[in-house]
Amino acid sequence: MFVKGVGMTKFGFQEESSRNTIYESVMEALNDAKMSMREIDAVVVSSIEIMSNGERQKHSASMISSLLQIKAPILDVPAGCAGGGTALWTAIKLLKNSSHKNILVIGFDKIVATTTKIITEEILRGGERIYEQAEGMIFPAQNALVAQQYMLKYGATSDDFALVAYKNHQNAFLNPKARFYRKKITMEEIKNSTVVASPLRLFDCSISCNGASSLILSKEPSDIEIIGSAEISDCLSPFEREEMTSLEATKKAAELAYKEADVTPSQIDIAEIHDAFTPLEIISYEDLGFCSPGEGKELIRNGTTKIDGKLPVNTSGGLKAKGHPISPTGIAQVYEIVKQMRGQAGARQIKTPRIGLAHNLGGAGSVATVHILKNLN
Amino acid sequence: MIIRWICEKCSKKWIYPIEKCIYCKGPVTKQKGTQMKVIGFTKVTIPSPTHPIIPYNILLLQDEFGNRLPKKTMKDYKIGDVYTEKKSESDDAVAIIKVKYDIFEAIKDALGLLKDVKFDSEEKILIKPSIIAAAYPYQAVNVNPDMLDALIAVLFEYGIKKENVIVAEQALIGSSAADAASKSGALEVCKKRGVAFADISKGPFEKVECDGYEFSIYKEALHRKIINVPIMKTNFQLGISGALENLTRLVDEKTQRDMYYKGLGNILPKLVKALPDVFTIADATNGMQGLGPLASGEPAFLNLIFAGRNAAALDSIFCEISMIKIPPYVKAAGSGINPKKIEVVGNEIDALKNPIKPANPEETPHSDIKVVDYGACPACLNLMYNLTSKMIGLRGSELYVLIGSQFDGKVLEGGERIVAIGDCAIKKMEELKINTIAKIPENLDMVEQIVLMKKLLTTEGTPKITSVDKVKSKMTKLLSRAVR
């Protein structure tokens, strides 16, 4: 399966309606692919259909039909923060098993449109109802408990998490589509930011945003091929799992994707990793096979994953600093890899990568998708 | 306690009750961990609507089987600390338990945390659930039938014989107890468990005098241990209905009306004293918020149960955690009890605080109709609720319905478009010689009541009922009967 075109809005606090952000990202993807809407045979869309913003719009698939004036199969596949990755995985499966030639994949959400308290509550609904929601387990708290277990087991420190935040903010500084574009964040600001859920500070948490992202997937060859794709769901709560310091869903999805792509972790030249919270990036280094369990902290300490390192991770700024509008995230990760592969990443361009990996998570590891892309040029 | 449901054959594990293993079809049993240690914690500093008090801690507890559980607390713990639930020391203590998918275990937990809770296997029990009107369980008007079922199962586990247990209740005056018990699911539970359901309104009653007031109390209640099982709800008239309010339906209709006439705050403390042995296990597995206590209220999804010997203390604690004002009648019944000093076990008040929607005392199911309540009895309240509900869909000018009897002649001053509903208000108006406003009495046929109310709502100016209206209403009634 091939990526014909990609598009995304800037991730930020824009007031624009979802209709406008979707339209903008689809238009960019169509222009990028040099295609018309007429060539699209089906659409796979993902949104968490948030109810606390002014749009209060459910039934996204038909809304997309109205907006894009398309009468075709449109599937809505919400999967929390992994919505984008899951939509892409679904589109790949659909394309492989149908007569369709081109599928448009869309992720959109408008999160920042009410008070932080209400947004926090809405996102809390993604946790387990009785054991987590009732205990005040907001998402930062859920990840804080995971981070603490990881620190206790492997000796990682808050300074390691700060290094992740600093690296991703430096990358976002160079990305015009990032929420923190041209916004300088110092290590002092990161280390002295408010504790949100100990040990996690404000700068350990990704920034909620509004936005949309799109991708056109095709059977017709292009310069970028998706050579591996996997999605795995795990149980809802980390406390329920045998192991809290690694994510089984990521490990299994990575294993399947590497196998399908016939590549090994050492062949990955660039990765976009789901850093909704900074410890997740370090844990994911391990789960994706870039290092052994407990060694993730070394990759951030020795600069391996910096933009000029051996394995650049989150050159876009990641969820941390590019922003995290929930469902668009997974497609935006692929957007970054495509731009890097085509040499279109501007100031943050790395040495043209040949193999890239996008890793998208939903919940605290409840869903994971891994996509492996190959640069055919 | 941490509970997991484990397949005996293949050891698959669930955090929910599962009847049979979906893989090997093997039987599933509960694994209960009681030795809990703190293996992690986080201090949260961001408030959310359902967790407004910050900072709070979430502990990660692990039991002897390696099962884990998050637990919210306002207290600080260290990794390695042993976590135990403290038992109560005072008689007025209230236990609050979060239901983790298992009401049976939650009830047992609550009873286990309270001092000296014992049941004699020969004991005769009267379970007094709150079942006031015909409504489905999801509407949270009546006690959750699963709660009733779990409670009976717990009593059986204590060795109580099924022939020694009765479930007794009467619906709001004007509603049928049989209909209410049937639609609420309570009757089915009684049948399943083999215990009798009794309609209290049918009596017999016994006269009991307490502090100068004579009650007609349901005879069985005087000779059995009462397990008071209210559903915790907001109530537009009373603020809340809970443990205390549920006891008011242990007396006959006449006493009920008189209690409201004389003010619940005055009479309830005497009723509590007059009843011999009451223990409350309150249902907030769902609970109600907003325009309770009937079907215009909304389910509150609280997922809690409360237990204690002191009904006023229990109601006060419910108000504290729901962040609503403690109603005067609860304060009166709990004279001397400072809610801040009530011993609470199982969970901490601040960790449970979650604001629910209070009931607006003026609101009715119809947006154009406001209620002016002067201590209406349950009959007038029920009539007002049913009548205003039937007006939904009709537009009219703002109308005030006057219910209750604790008013004087000044009530009408400056007021236009007032309708007196129910016998309490009409009787009082006769006493005051006020004949100037429209009245809808309790004993009128429902069809006639609806016709008259429609006319009053949709007519501009001062609402009046003329002889023509009365004839029209009677004809409508006859016509509706003929059609039926």
PDB file of all heavy atoms in Angstrom, chain A residues 121 128 130-131 133 135-136 148-149 195-198 239 241-242, chain B residues 15 39 41-43 45 50-51 56 68 72 98 100-101 303:
ATOM      1  N   GLU A 121     -12.127  16.168  32.541  1.00  0.00           N
ATOM      2  CA  GLU A 121     -13.190  15.214  32.848  1.00  0.00           C
ATOM      3  C   GLU A 121     -13.541  14.370  31.614  1.00  0.00           C
ATOM      4  O   GLU A 121     -13.718  13.159  31.715  1.00  0.00           O
ATOM      5  CB  GLU A 121     -14.435  15.981  33.325  1.00  0.00           C
ATOM      6  CG  GLU A 121     -15.586  15.105  33.785  1.00  0.00           C
ATOM      7  CD  GLU A 121     -15.365  14.506  35.165  1.00  0.00           C
ATOM      8  OE1 GLU A 121     -14.532  15.039  35.922  1.00  0.00           O
ATOM      9  OE2 GLU A 121     -16.017  13.499  35.481  1.00  0.00           O
ATOM     10  N   GLU A 128     -10.928   3.421  32.963  1.00  0.00           N
ATOM     11  CA  GLU A 128     -11.896   2.415  33.404  1.00  0.00           C
ATOM     12  C   GLU A 128     -12.861   3.065  34.397  1.00  0.00           C
ATOM     13  O   GLU A 128     -12.446   3.761  35.321  1.00  0.00           O
ATOM     14  CB  GLU A 128     -11.161   1.228  34.045  1.00  0.00           C
ATOM     15  CG  GLU A 128     -11.935  -0.069  33.973  1.00  0.00           C
ATOM     16  CD  GLU A 128     -13.047  -0.188  34.997  1.00  0.00           C
ATOM     17  OE1 GLU A 128     -12.938   0.456  36.062  1.00  0.00           O
ATOM     18  OE2 GLU A 128     -14.024  -0.892  34.749  1.00  0.00           O
ATOM     19  N   ILE A 130     -15.048   2.190  36.887  1.00  0.00           N
ATOM     20  CA  ILE A 130     -15.177   1.945  38.318  1.00  0.00           C
ATOM     21  C   ILE A 130     -13.833   2.056  39.047  1.00  0.00           C
ATOM     22  O   ILE A 130     -13.738   2.658  40.104  1.00  0.00           O
ATOM     23  CB  ILE A 130     -15.768   0.536  38.559  1.00  0.00           C
ATOM     24  CG1 ILE A 130     -17.157   0.430  37.933  1.00  0.00           C
ATOM     25  CG2 ILE A 130     -15.774   0.172  40.033  1.00  0.00           C
ATOM     26  CD1 ILE A 130     -18.217   1.279  38.552  1.00  0.00           C
ATOM     27  N   TYR A 131     -12.809   1.480  38.476  1.00  0.00           N
ATOM     28  CA  TYR A 131     -11.526   1.421  39.176  1.00  0.00           C
ATOM     29  C   TYR A 131     -10.696   2.686  38.963  1.00  0.00           C
ATOM     30  O   TYR A 131      -9.844   3.003  39.778  1.00  0.00           O
ATOM     31  CB  TYR A 131     -10.700   0.225  38.705  1.00  0.00           C
ATOM     32  CG  TYR A 131     -11.284  -1.106  39.104  1.00  0.00           C
ATOM     33  CD1 TYR A 131     -12.097  -1.803  38.240  1.00  0.00           C
ATOM     34  CD2 TYR A 131     -11.015  -1.654  40.355  1.00  0.00           C
ATOM     35  CE1 TYR A 131     -12.636  -3.031  38.596  1.00  0.00           C
ATOM     36  CE2 TYR A 131     -11.540  -2.880  40.717  1.00  0.00           C
ATOM     37  CZ  TYR A 131     -12.352  -3.566  39.834  1.00  0.00           C
ATOM     38  OH  TYR A 131     -12.879  -4.771  40.201  1.00  0.00           O
ATOM     39  N   GLN A 133     -11.907   5.960  36.881  1.00  0.00           N
ATOM     40  CA  GLN A 133     -12.639   7.236  36.908  1.00  0.00           C
ATOM     41  C   GLN A 133     -13.067   7.589  38.338  1.00  0.00           C
ATOM     42  O   GLN A 133     -12.928   8.720  38.778  1.00  0.00           O
ATOM     43  CB  GLN A 133     -13.866   7.166  36.016  1.00  0.00           C
ATOM     44  CG  GLN A 133     -13.546   7.094  34.532  1.00  0.00           C
ATOM     45  CD  GLN A 133     -14.799   7.040  33.676  1.00  0.00           C
ATOM     46  OE1 GLN A 133     -15.852   7.516  34.052  1.00  0.00           O
ATOM     47  NE2 GLN A 133     -14.683   6.454  32.504  1.00  0.00           N
ATOM     48  N   GLU A 135     -11.745   6.831  41.028  1.00  0.00           N
ATOM     49  CA  GLU A 135     -10.609   7.106  41.915  1.00  0.00           C
ATOM     50  C   GLU A 135      -9.849   8.356  41.463  1.00  0.00           C
ATOM     51  O   GLU A 135      -8.740   8.607  41.946  1.00  0.00           O
ATOM     52  CB  GLU A 135      -9.658   5.902  41.954  1.00  0.00           C
ATOM     53  CG  GLU A 135     -10.294   4.586  42.387  1.00  0.00           C
ATOM     54  CD  GLU A 135     -10.825   4.597  43.819  1.00  0.00           C
ATOM     55  OE1 GLU A 135     -10.342   5.397  44.638  1.00  0.00           O
ATOM     56  OE2 GLU A 135     -11.738   3.791  44.110  1.00  0.00           O
ATOM     57  N   GLY A 136     -10.422   9.099  40.535  1.00  0.00           N
ATOM     58  CA  GLY A 136      -9.780  10.352  40.103  1.00  0.00           C
ATOM     59  C   GLY A 136      -8.551  10.132  39.242  1.00  0.00           C
ATOM     60  O   GLY A 136      -7.657  10.980  39.184  1.00  0.00           O
ATOM     61  N   GLN A 148       6.368   5.988  37.730  1.00  0.00           N
ATOM     62  CA  GLN A 148       6.983   5.699  39.029  1.00  0.00           C
ATOM     63  C   GLN A 148       7.462   4.246  39.120  1.00  0.00           C
ATOM     64  O   GLN A 148       8.563   3.966  39.612  1.00  0.00           O
ATOM     65  CB  GLN A 148       5.978   5.991  40.144  1.00  0.00           C
ATOM     66  CG  GLN A 148       6.582   5.946  41.520  1.00  0.00           C
ATOM     67  CD  GLN A 148       5.529   6.141  42.581  1.00  0.00           C
ATOM     68  OE1 GLN A 148       4.468   5.504  42.539  1.00  0.00           O
ATOM     69  NE2 GLN A 148       5.801   7.022  43.526  1.00  0.00           N
ATOM     70  N   GLN A 149       6.629   3.339  38.613  1.00  0.00           N
ATOM     71  CA  GLN A 149       7.027   1.926  38.617  1.00  0.00           C
ATOM     72  C   GLN A 149       8.286   1.729  37.776  1.00  0.00           C
ATOM     73  O   GLN A 149       9.189   0.981  38.137  1.00  0.00           O
ATOM     74  CB  GLN A 149       5.891   1.039  38.074  1.00  0.00           C
ATOM     75  CG  GLN A 149       4.635   1.012  38.938  1.00  0.00           C
ATOM     76  CD  GLN A 149       4.910   0.526  40.357  1.00  0.00           C
ATOM     77  OE1 GLN A 149       5.398  -0.571  40.568  1.00  0.00           O
ATOM     78  NE2 GLN A 149       4.608   1.354  41.345  1.00  0.00           N
ATOM     79  N   VAL A 195       3.997  20.551  39.259  1.00  0.00           N
ATOM     80  CA  VAL A 195       3.749  19.102  39.327  1.00  0.00           C
ATOM     81  C   VAL A 195       2.252  18.885  39.085  1.00  0.00           C
ATOM     82  O   VAL A 195       1.412  19.459  39.772  1.00  0.00           O
ATOM     83  CB  VAL A 195       4.174  18.522  40.696  1.00  0.00           C
ATOM     84  CG1 VAL A 195       3.766  17.054  40.802  1.00  0.00           C
ATOM     85  CG2 VAL A 195       5.667  18.677  40.898  1.00  0.00           C
ATOM     86  N   VAL A 196       1.944  18.085  38.093  1.00  0.00           N
ATOM     87  CA  VAL A 196       0.550  17.827  37.728  1.00  0.00           C
ATOM     88  C   VAL A 196       0.053  16.571  38.452  1.00  0.00           C
ATOM     89  O   VAL A 196      -1.025  16.543  39.042  1.00  0.00           O
ATOM     90  CB  VAL A 196       0.444  17.664  36.193  1.00  0.00           C
ATOM     91  CG1 VAL A 196      -0.909  17.122  35.788  1.00  0.00           C
ATOM     92  CG2 VAL A 196       0.721  18.994  35.504  1.00  0.00           C
ATOM     93  N   ALA A 197       0.826  15.523  38.350  1.00  0.00           N
ATOM     94  CA  ALA A 197       0.559  14.258  39.053  1.00  0.00           C
ATOM     95  C   ALA A 197       1.945  13.675  39.296  1.00  0.00           C
ATOM     96  O   ALA A 197       2.574  13.185  38.356  1.00  0.00           O
ATOM     97  CB  ALA A 197      -0.301  13.327  38.217  1.00  0.00           C
ATOM     98  N   SER A 198       2.412  13.768  40.525  1.00  0.00           N
ATOM     99  CA  SER A 198       3.800  13.416  40.816  1.00  0.00           C
ATOM    100  C   SER A 198       4.112  11.998  40.318  1.00  0.00           C
ATOM    101  O   SER A 198       3.265  11.113  40.452  1.00  0.00           O
ATOM    102  CB  SER A 198       4.064  13.503  42.319  1.00  0.00           C
ATOM    103  OG  SER A 198       3.227  12.591  43.005  1.00  0.00           O
ATOM    104  N   PHE A 239      -3.057  -1.086  35.685  1.00  0.00           N
ATOM    105  CA  PHE A 239      -2.972  -1.863  36.924  1.00  0.00           C
ATOM    106  C   PHE A 239      -3.430  -3.303  36.718  1.00  0.00           C
ATOM    107  O   PHE A 239      -3.111  -4.192  37.500  1.00  0.00           O
ATOM    108  CB  PHE A 239      -3.777  -1.198  38.053  1.00  0.00           C
ATOM    109  CG  PHE A 239      -5.258  -1.390  37.959  1.00  0.00           C
ATOM    110  CD1 PHE A 239      -5.861  -2.507  38.516  1.00  0.00           C
ATOM    111  CD2 PHE A 239      -6.067  -0.474  37.302  1.00  0.00           C
ATOM    112  CE1 PHE A 239      -7.228  -2.708  38.430  1.00  0.00           C
ATOM    113  CE2 PHE A 239      -7.427  -0.658  37.205  1.00  0.00           C
ATOM    114  CZ  PHE A 239      -8.012  -1.784  37.770  1.00  0.00           C
ATOM    115  N   ARG A 241      -2.660  -5.136  34.138  1.00  0.00           N
ATOM    116  CA  ARG A 241      -1.715  -5.910  33.329  1.00  0.00           C
ATOM    117  C   ARG A 241      -0.647  -6.560  34.194  1.00  0.00           C
ATOM    118  O   ARG A 241      -0.318  -6.040  35.259  1.00  0.00           O
ATOM    119  CB  ARG A 241      -1.038  -4.982  32.305  1.00  0.00           C
ATOM    120  CG  ARG A 241      -2.068  -4.337  31.398  1.00  0.00           C
ATOM    121  CD  ARG A 241      -1.431  -3.366  30.424  1.00  0.00           C
ATOM    122  NE  ARG A 241      -2.484  -2.523  29.840  1.00  0.00           N
ATOM    123  CZ  ARG A 241      -2.356  -1.247  29.545  1.00  0.00           C
ATOM    124  NH1 ARG A 241      -1.214  -0.627  29.752  1.00  0.00           N
ATOM    125  NH2 ARG A 241      -3.360  -0.570  29.036  1.00  0.00           N
ATOM    126  N   GLU A 242      -0.117  -7.647  33.708  1.00  0.00           N
ATOM    127  CA  GLU A 242       0.954  -8.350  34.427  1.00  0.00           C
ATOM    128  C   GLU A 242       2.123  -7.398  34.683  1.00  0.00           C
ATOM    129  O   GLU A 242       2.683  -7.347  35.759  1.00  0.00           O
ATOM    130  CB  GLU A 242       1.456  -9.523  33.572  1.00  0.00           C
ATOM    131  CG  GLU A 242       0.505 -10.707  33.515  1.00  0.00           C
ATOM    132  CD  GLU A 242       0.469 -11.489  34.806  1.00  0.00           C
ATOM    133  OE1 GLU A 242       1.548 -11.798  35.331  1.00  0.00           O
ATOM    134  OE2 GLU A 242      -0.640 -11.768  35.303  1.00  0.00           O
TER     135      GLU A 242
ATOM    136  N   ILE B  15     -11.456  -8.361  36.065  1.00  0.00           N
ATOM    137  CA  ILE B  15     -11.723  -7.384  37.135  1.00  0.00           C
ATOM    138  C   ILE B  15     -13.229  -7.201  37.321  1.00  0.00           C
ATOM    139  O   ILE B  15     -13.666  -6.382  38.120  1.00  0.00           O
ATOM    140  CB  ILE B  15     -11.038  -6.014  36.862  1.00  0.00           C
ATOM    141  CG1 ILE B  15     -11.490  -5.405  35.524  1.00  0.00           C
ATOM    142  CG2 ILE B  15      -9.526  -6.151  36.910  1.00  0.00           C
ATOM    143  CD1 ILE B  15     -11.058  -3.952  35.325  1.00  0.00           C
ATOM    144  N   ILE B  39       2.352   0.135  46.627  1.00  0.00           N
ATOM    145  CA  ILE B  39       3.535  -0.070  45.763  1.00  0.00           C
ATOM    146  C   ILE B  39       3.788   1.156  44.881  1.00  0.00           C
ATOM    147  O   ILE B  39       4.773   1.215  44.155  1.00  0.00           O
ATOM    148  CB  ILE B  39       3.425  -1.345  44.900  1.00  0.00           C
ATOM    149  CG1 ILE B  39       2.236  -1.252  43.926  1.00  0.00           C
ATOM    150  CG2 ILE B  39       3.322  -2.596  45.754  1.00  0.00           C
ATOM    151  CD1 ILE B  39       2.378  -2.181  42.741  1.00  0.00           C
ATOM    152  N   PHE B  41       2.335   5.618  44.245  1.00  0.00           N
ATOM    153  CA  PHE B  41       1.364   6.689  44.545  1.00  0.00           C
ATOM    154  C   PHE B  41       1.648   7.871  43.641  1.00  0.00           C
ATOM    155  O   PHE B  41       2.757   8.036  43.116  1.00  0.00           O
ATOM    156  CB  PHE B  41       1.448   7.122  46.020  1.00  0.00           C
ATOM    157  CG  PHE B  41       2.767   7.707  46.400  1.00  0.00           C
ATOM    158  CD1 PHE B  41       3.033   9.064  46.187  1.00  0.00           C
ATOM    159  CD2 PHE B  41       3.767   6.915  46.926  1.00  0.00           C
ATOM    160  CE1 PHE B  41       4.267   9.598  46.507  1.00  0.00           C
ATOM    161  CE2 PHE B  41       5.014   7.441  47.252  1.00  0.00           C
ATOM    162  CZ  PHE B  41       5.257   8.796  47.043  1.00  0.00           C
ATOM    163  N   THR B  42       0.629   8.692  43.453  1.00  0.00           N
ATOM    164  CA  THR B  42       0.813   9.958  42.746  1.00  0.00           C
ATOM    165  C   THR B  42      -0.054  11.015  43.414  1.00  0.00           C
ATOM    166  O   THR B  42      -1.149  10.702  43.890  1.00  0.00           O
ATOM    167  CB  THR B  42       0.472   9.821  41.246  1.00  0.00           C
ATOM    168  OG1 THR B  42       0.650  11.094  40.604  1.00  0.00           O
ATOM    169  CG2 THR B  42      -0.946   9.361  40.988  1.00  0.00           C
ATOM    170  N   LYS B  43       0.469  12.220  43.491  1.00  0.00           N
ATOM    171  CA  LYS B  43      -0.308  13.330  44.066  1.00  0.00           C
ATOM    172  C   LYS B  43      -0.833  14.158  42.890  1.00  0.00           C
ATOM    173  O   LYS B  43      -0.056  14.670  42.094  1.00  0.00           O
ATOM    174  CB  LYS B  43       0.575  14.190  44.982  1.00  0.00           C
ATOM    175  CG  LYS B  43      -0.225  15.230  45.770  1.00  0.00           C
ATOM    176  CD  LYS B  43       0.657  16.044  46.703  1.00  0.00           C
ATOM    177  CE  LYS B  43       1.040  15.336  47.967  1.00  0.00           C
ATOM    178  NZ  LYS B  43      -0.052  15.118  48.920  1.00  0.00           N
ATOM    179  N   THR B  45      -2.793  17.305  41.169  1.00  0.00           N
ATOM    180  CA  THR B  45      -3.056  18.715  41.500  1.00  0.00           C
ATOM    181  C   THR B  45      -4.020  19.380  40.510  1.00  0.00           C
ATOM    182  O   THR B  45      -4.209  20.584  40.557  1.00  0.00           O
ATOM    183  CB  THR B  45      -1.738  19.509  41.525  1.00  0.00           C
ATOM    184  OG1 THR B  45      -1.157  19.436  40.225  1.00  0.00           O
ATOM    185  CG2 THR B  45      -0.766  18.971  42.554  1.00  0.00           C
ATOM    186  N   THR B  50     -15.700  15.922  38.665  1.00  0.00           N
ATOM    187  CA  THR B  50     -16.071  14.860  39.600  1.00  0.00           C
ATOM    188  C   THR B  50     -15.027  14.642  40.701  1.00  0.00           C
ATOM    189  O   THR B  50     -15.257  13.854  41.610  1.00  0.00           O
ATOM    190  CB  THR B  50     -16.314  13.525  38.858  1.00  0.00           C
ATOM    191  OG1 THR B  50     -15.197  13.286  38.007  1.00  0.00           O
ATOM    192  CG2 THR B  50     -17.576  13.555  38.044  1.00  0.00           C
ATOM    193  N   HIS B  51     -13.905  15.353  40.604  1.00  0.00           N
ATOM    194  CA  HIS B  51     -12.877  15.270  41.648  1.00  0.00           C
ATOM    195  C   HIS B  51     -12.376  16.695  41.926  1.00  0.00           C
ATOM    196  O   HIS B  51     -11.235  17.042  41.580  1.00  0.00           O
ATOM    197  CB  HIS B  51     -11.730  14.349  41.206  1.00  0.00           C
ATOM    198  CG  HIS B  51     -12.184  12.951  40.955  1.00  0.00           C
ATOM    199  ND1 HIS B  51     -12.331  12.024  41.957  1.00  0.00           N
ATOM    200  CD2 HIS B  51     -12.585  12.330  39.828  1.00  0.00           C
ATOM    201  CE1 HIS B  51     -12.787  10.892  41.451  1.00  0.00           C
ATOM    202  NE2 HIS B  51     -12.954  11.056  40.151  1.00  0.00           N
ATOM    203  N   TYR B  56      -5.075  15.556  45.722  1.00  0.00           N
ATOM    204  CA  TYR B  56      -5.423  14.250  46.278  1.00  0.00           C
ATOM    205  C   TYR B  56      -4.385  13.229  45.820  1.00  0.00           C
ATOM    206  O   TYR B  56      -3.641  13.490  44.871  1.00  0.00           O
ATOM    207  CB  TYR B  56      -6.844  13.813  45.865  1.00  0.00           C
ATOM    208  CG  TYR B  56      -7.119  13.683  44.388  1.00  0.00           C
ATOM    209  CD1 TYR B  56      -6.830  12.517  43.687  1.00  0.00           C
ATOM    210  CD2 TYR B  56      -7.718  14.729  43.689  1.00  0.00           C
ATOM    211  CE1 TYR B  56      -7.106  12.396  42.336  1.00  0.00           C
ATOM    212  CE2 TYR B  56      -8.004  14.618  42.324  1.00  0.00           C
ATOM    213  CZ  TYR B  56      -7.699  13.458  41.646  1.00  0.00           C
ATOM    214  OH  TYR B  56      -7.976  13.339  40.304  1.00  0.00           O
ATOM    215  N   ARG B  68      -3.579  -5.690  41.624  1.00  0.00           N
ATOM    216  CA  ARG B  68      -3.397  -4.276  41.963  1.00  0.00           C
ATOM    217  C   ARG B  68      -4.720  -3.515  41.884  1.00  0.00           C
ATOM    218  O   ARG B  68      -5.653  -3.944  41.208  1.00  0.00           O
ATOM    219  CB  ARG B  68      -2.402  -3.621  41.011  1.00  0.00           C
ATOM    220  CG  ARG B  68      -1.069  -4.303  40.936  1.00  0.00           C
ATOM    221  CD  ARG B  68      -0.123  -3.479  40.091  1.00  0.00           C
ATOM    222  NE  ARG B  68       0.912  -4.324  39.523  1.00  0.00           N
ATOM    223  CZ  ARG B  68       0.897  -4.793  38.279  1.00  0.00           C
ATOM    224  NH1 ARG B  68      -0.098  -4.480  37.471  1.00  0.00           N
ATOM    225  NH2 ARG B  68       1.875  -5.555  37.837  1.00  0.00           N
ATOM    226  N   LYS B  72      -8.083   6.274  45.758  1.00  0.00           N
ATOM    227  CA  LYS B  72      -7.954   7.714  46.008  1.00  0.00           C
ATOM    228  C   LYS B  72      -7.998   7.977  47.511  1.00  0.00           C
ATOM    229  O   LYS B  72      -8.815   7.407  48.223  1.00  0.00           O
ATOM    230  CB  LYS B  72      -9.111   8.440  45.315  1.00  0.00           C
ATOM    231  CG  LYS B  72      -9.049   9.957  45.434  1.00  0.00           C
ATOM    232  CD  LYS B  72     -10.259  10.584  44.761  1.00  0.00           C
ATOM    233  CE  LYS B  72     -10.273  12.086  44.979  1.00  0.00           C
ATOM    234  NZ  LYS B  72     -11.532  12.704  44.510  1.00  0.00           N
ATOM    235  N   LYS B  98     -17.286   2.095  47.925  1.00  0.00           N
ATOM    236  CA  LYS B  98     -17.431   2.181  46.468  1.00  0.00           C
ATOM    237  C   LYS B  98     -17.712   0.774  45.951  1.00  0.00           C
ATOM    238  O   LYS B  98     -16.993  -0.166  46.312  1.00  0.00           O
ATOM    239  CB  LYS B  98     -16.137   2.697  45.840  1.00  0.00           C
ATOM    240  CG  LYS B  98     -15.887   4.162  46.118  1.00  0.00           C
ATOM    241  CD  LYS B  98     -14.579   4.595  45.496  1.00  0.00           C
ATOM    242  CE  LYS B  98     -14.302   6.037  45.847  1.00  0.00           C
ATOM    243  NZ  LYS B  98     -12.948   6.451  45.488  1.00  0.00           N
ATOM    244  N   LYS B 100     -17.371  -2.042  43.587  1.00  0.00           N
ATOM    245  CA  LYS B 100     -16.472  -2.460  42.498  1.00  0.00           C
ATOM    246  C   LYS B 100     -17.119  -3.632  41.780  1.00  0.00           C
ATOM    247  O   LYS B 100     -16.648  -4.775  41.901  1.00  0.00           O
ATOM    248  CB  LYS B 100     -15.103  -2.865  43.047  1.00  0.00           C
ATOM    249  CG  LYS B 100     -14.438  -1.820  43.936  1.00  0.00           C
ATOM    250  CD  LYS B 100     -13.781  -0.727  43.128  1.00  0.00           C
ATOM    251  CE  LYS B 100     -12.969   0.196  44.045  1.00  0.00           C
ATOM    252  NZ  LYS B 100     -12.698   1.476  43.413  1.00  0.00           N
ATOM    253  N   TYR B 101     -18.187  -3.365  41.101  1.00  0.00           N
ATOM    254  CA  TYR B 101     -18.914  -4.353  40.310  1.00  0.00           C
ATOM    255  C   TYR B 101     -19.566  -5.448  41.147  1.00  0.00           C
ATOM    256  O   TYR B 101     -20.050  -6.426  40.586  1.00  0.00           O
ATOM    257  CB  TYR B 101     -17.992  -5.012  39.257  1.00  0.00           C
ATOM    258  CG  TYR B 101     -17.528  -4.045  38.201  1.00  0.00           C
ATOM    259  CD1 TYR B 101     -16.233  -3.547  38.210  1.00  0.00           C
ATOM    260  CD2 TYR B 101     -18.390  -3.618  37.201  1.00  0.00           C
ATOM    261  CE1 TYR B 101     -15.815  -2.644  37.253  1.00  0.00           C
ATOM    262  CE2 TYR B 101     -17.970  -2.718  36.240  1.00  0.00           C
ATOM    263  CZ  TYR B 101     -16.683  -2.243  36.265  1.00  0.00           C
ATOM    264  OH  TYR B 101     -16.267  -1.347  35.314  1.00  0.00           O
ATOM    265  N   ASN B 303     -22.441   5.080  42.358  1.00  0.00           N
ATOM    266  CA  ASN B 303     -21.743   3.819  42.573  1.00  0.00           C
ATOM    267  C   ASN B 303     -21.240   3.636  44.010  1.00  0.00           C
ATOM    268  O   ASN B 303     -20.125   3.174  44.236  1.00  0.00           O
ATOM    269  CB  ASN B 303     -20.586   3.706  41.577  1.00  0.00           C
ATOM    270  CG  ASN B 303     -20.216   2.269  41.331  1.00  0.00           C
ATOM    271  OD1 ASN B 303     -21.090   1.427  41.212  1.00  0.00           O
ATOM    272  ND2 ASN B 303     -18.939   1.978  41.321  1.00  0.00           N
TER     273      ASN B 303
END
